[in-house]
Amino acid sequence: MKINVNLLLLVAMMGISSCKTNYYKHMIIAHRGAWKTAGLPENSIASLDKAMGQKLYGSEFDVHLTKDGILVVNHNNDFYGVDIATATYQGLLGKKHPNGERIPTLGAYLREGLKQKKTKLILEIKTSNLGEERTLESTRMIVDTVKSLNAQKLTEYICFDYEVGKLVHLLDTAASVAYLNGDKSPAELKEDGYKGIDYHISVYDKHPEWIPEAKKLGLSVNVWTVNSPDDMKRFIKQQVNYITTNEPELLFDLLRGKK
Ligand code: MG
């Protein structure tokens, strides 16, 4: 059989290029979904779809609890002026995102994410204004919802409240939980069951040693929110595992040398 060497070479090159593309995308987490370039609302189902379409490592989103015990996805404590913690879910349905979406429930968001297997759902458990007890109650409900939808493998948790992460670890020891607040060393996090550090740029500027320390302990290292090319380059150089950004397309271009 005559083998077309050029064709074989082309196929091999395509394979290498696809591996590289996957490698680059493997470090990108879209902050509140991939909303900016497409002009979509943050934390909308459409912004999650966009991030999944780009096959990024992860798409981050924020979860709150309403007064009547419904978990919803939104960044701010209010949804277009309606305070989530003291509103009923029905009360929130009076408002819409500019693209026509209503506030997504956690269940709807996870079900959308489960339509694929590639992009992780980076679930931030928000700290409640109503106090620690309400925050921990919301944590239990969130972990229950993730388990009931069989979304454990696709979901990774992040939180600012240290007790929240410890509770997630208790409820699901296999769960991946990373801490956002920047005031704990990698060794402390490891001790309490955390699987990663996920700190603001300024924290690593103050504690650059925490990056190698965390990696040595087997913790993942994520940095937020990195939007400028210079900062992106700095953290790629420091070999963080993940970069959370409002500019996933820019980061992708930069990683593959197009910027
Ligand atoms: Mg968040």
Side-chain angles (χ1 to χ4, degrees), residues 202-221:
S202 60
V203 175
Y204 295 119
D205 287 342
K206 225 189 280 173
H207 289 287
E209 76 283 4
W210 280 358
I211 296 175
E213 273 177 37
K215 292 179 112 181
K216 215 172 179 181
L217 290 165
L219 298 172
S220 64
V221 179

Side-chain angles (χ1 to χ4, degrees), residues 1-250:
M1 192 172 71
K2 199 176 169 190
I3 296 171
N4 185 328
V5 178
N6 285 339
L7 186 66
L8 276 181
L9 200 61
L10 181 67
V11 169
M13 281 168 67
M14 281 168 67
I16 291 166
S17 138
S18 141
C19 276
K20 268 189 163 174
T21 299
N22 289 341
Y23 168 74
Y24 294 147
K25 289 192 171 179
H26 198 76
M27 75 182 306
I28 306 174
I29 296 176
H31 183 232
R32 306 178 196 166
W35 51 272
K36 197 168 175 188
T37 303
L40 296 166
E42 299 173 12
N43 273 318
S44 60
I45 296 267
S47 71
L48 170 63
D49 284 340
K50 193 81 188 164
M52 296 191 306
Q54 292 178 18
K55 298 188 166 37
L56 304 178
Y57 174 78
S59 186
E60 188 262 0
F61 59 102
D62 308 281
V63 180
H64 298 258
L65 183 60
T66 65
K67 179 185 169 185
D68 55 342
I70 305 295
L71 295 163
V72 290
V73 177
N74 192 57
H75 178 263
N76 293 349
N77 288 333
D78 73 284
F79 187 63
Y80 300 103
V82 183
D83 180 57
I84 297 172
T86 54
T88 60
Y89 175 60
Q90 200 60 35
L92 291 169
L93 295 181
K95 301 285 180 181
K96 281 183 184 174
H97 276 305
N99 70 342
E101 277 184 46
R102 295 209 161 86
I103 191 167
T105 61
L106 174 61
Y109 216 82
L110 293 176
R111 278 192 292 274
E112 186 70 12
L114 285 164
K115 289 180 180 169
Q116 51 86 61
K117 288 189 179 132
K118 170 83 189 151
T119 301
K120 301 274 186 197
L121 307 173
I122 314 295
L123 191 167
E124 180 178 341
I125 302 177
K126 296 302 273 191
T127 306
S128 175
N129 277 348
L130 303 182
E132 185 72 357
E133 211 168 294
R134 191 68 173 159
T135 304
L136 296 178
E137 189 182 357
S138 132
T139 303
R140 283 185 211 98
M141 291 173 67
I142 288 169
V143 174
D144 273 354
T145 306
V146 169
K147 282 183 179 174
S148 72
L149 291 172
N150 229 342
Q152 295 99 313
K153 273 194 187 155
L154 204 60
T155 305
E156 295 183 5
Y157 299 91
I158 53 175
C159 56
F160 279 96
D161 182 318
Y162 199 66
E163 296 307 311
V164 162
K166 285 166 70 178
L167 178 58
V168 172
H169 179 62
L170 267 179
L171 297 168
D172 181 359
T173 48
S176 169
V177 197
Y179 184 58
L180 296 165
N181 206 39
D183 58 340
K184 299 277 185 188
S185 70
E188 286 173 279
L189 293 172
K190 175 84 179 179
E191 180 75 25
D192 282 322
Y194 278 89
K195 306 285 199 303
I197 58 170
D198 187 352
Y199 288 165
H200 186 258
I201 296 173
S202 60
V203 175
Y204 295 119
D205 287 342
K206 225 189 280 173
H207 289 287
E209 76 283 4
W210 280 358
I211 296 175
E213 273 177 37
K215 292 179 112 181
K216 215 172 179 181
L217 290 165
L219 298 172
S220 64
V221 179
N222 189 350
V223 54
W224 55 275
T225 305
V226 185
N227 297 323
S228 79
D230 283 350
D231 283 335
M232 288 172 179
K233 284 178 194 161
R234 246 169 7 100
F235 284 99
I236 294 164
K237 214 170 168 187
Q238 290 183 77
Q239 298 186 325
V240 297
N241 299 102
Y242 309 110
I243 292 178
T244 299
T245 178
N246 291 336
E247 308 276 4
E249 299 86 0
L250 171 65

